Amino acid sequence: MVIDFSALSRLPLFRGIAPVDLPHLCNCLGCYTKSYTKKDFIRFEDNKIFFLACICQGSVQMITEDTNGTKSIIISLREGDIFGEDLSCYESNSAIEYLAMPHSKITFFSINKVMNFCTPICHCHSIFLKNVIAALAQKNSNLIRKNKIMSQRTLREKLILYFQANFAKDDPTAPFTIPFGRLDLANYLCVDRSSLTRELTNMREEGLIDFSRNTFSIKPLLFKEVE
């Protein structure tokens, strides 16, 4: 698939890099782009050359499954996020898998070429590496936030903390849309779907939240409960 340099230039991973330098940089990093339909597992093509991946379009779920086939969503990754470092940095099988949600375009970079500068040293390569580190730091922050949510003792406490991480800080009562349907939200919080649906209904009846499908709004009464 042809690399869309215009799309790449808009991503945080390429911030500070001139669009005219992108073809050279992508050649330097051994890039290729693939397209995935909804619920496709994203596989890394070459087991000998490890790759780092960036979401150019769509979103990706980082998931695990237990021996019974029960799915748990670790985090949801969106456009501009990177993934695959767990596969690219260790020569062993990872329990983590990546699922395209919905139609997605993913660009892959050779991790060896990312970490080893070309000769002579390419200025845009050094900027790219700094952006990779920043993206990994942001991903780590998201994982810490997820761990904090999962450490809550009750389902309601988990939901409140999850909503707090997603509503607009400048207008907390404004509607916001989450990347999960009910089943995926249950898998993200590691709870039973029926229990989740029941708790959401209870919170709405108590005047704490309102929702329509994946769009939620927080009511002022919820903030009083948190205090």
Side-chain angles (χ1 to χ4, degrees), residues 74-75 77 85 133-149 165 188:
I74 303 172
I75 54 174
L77 303 167
E85 67 277 4
I133 295 171
L136 290 173
Q138 179 60 54
K139 185 177 178 182
N140 185 61
S141 177
N142 293 339
L143 289 169
I144 292 172
R145 184 183 301 116
K146 169 64 182 297
N147 186 60
K148 185 177 180 181
I149 291 171
Y188 177 82

Side-chain angles (χ1 to χ4, degrees), residues 53-127:
C54 176
I55 304 170
C56 298
Q57 177 184 313
S59 61
V60 170
Q61 290 181 354
M62 184 178 177
I63 68 170
T64 60
E65 288 189 7
D66 62 21
T67 54
N68 296 320
T70 302
K71 173 184 168 184
S72 295
I73 301 174
I74 303 172
I75 54 174
S76 178
L77 303 167
R78 58 188 179 182
E79 186 175 300
D81 287 340
I82 63 175
F83 63 93
E85 67 277 4
D86 56 306
L87 300 175
S88 63
C89 295
Y90 298 98
E91 295 186 16
S92 61
N93 293 329
S94 173
I96 296 172
E97 295 187 288
Y98 298 96
L99 195 64
M101 299 288 294
H103 176 80
S104 302
K105 291 181 181 179
I106 312 296
T107 296
F108 298 86
F109 310 88
S110 165
I111 192 65
N112 290 331
K113 293 183 177 181
V114 169
M115 300 305 295
N116 294 283
F117 286 88
C118 46
T119 304
I121 295 176
C122 175
H123 177 63
C124 57
H125 193 149
S126 63
I127 295 174

Side-chain angles (χ1 to χ4, degrees), residues 5 9 13 15 40 64 75 89 109 122 129 140 160 167 174 176 179 186 193 207 209 221 224:
F5 296 112
S9 67
L13 200 57
R15 185 179 291 119
D40 276 351
T64 60
I75 54 174
C89 295
F109 310 88
C122 175
L129 186 55
N140 185 61
I160 290 174
F167 62 60
F176 59 93
R193 180 181 180 178
I209 63 172
L221 191 60
K224 294 182 180 179

Side-chain angles (χ1 to χ4, degrees), residues 3 32 65 96 118 124 130-131 153 159 168 194 199 225:
I3 297 174
Y32 67 92
E65 288 189 7
I96 296 172
C118 46
C124 57
K130 290 178 182 178
N131 290 342
R153 295 181 180 276
L159 283 168
S194 59
E199 186 61 37
E225 179 167 304

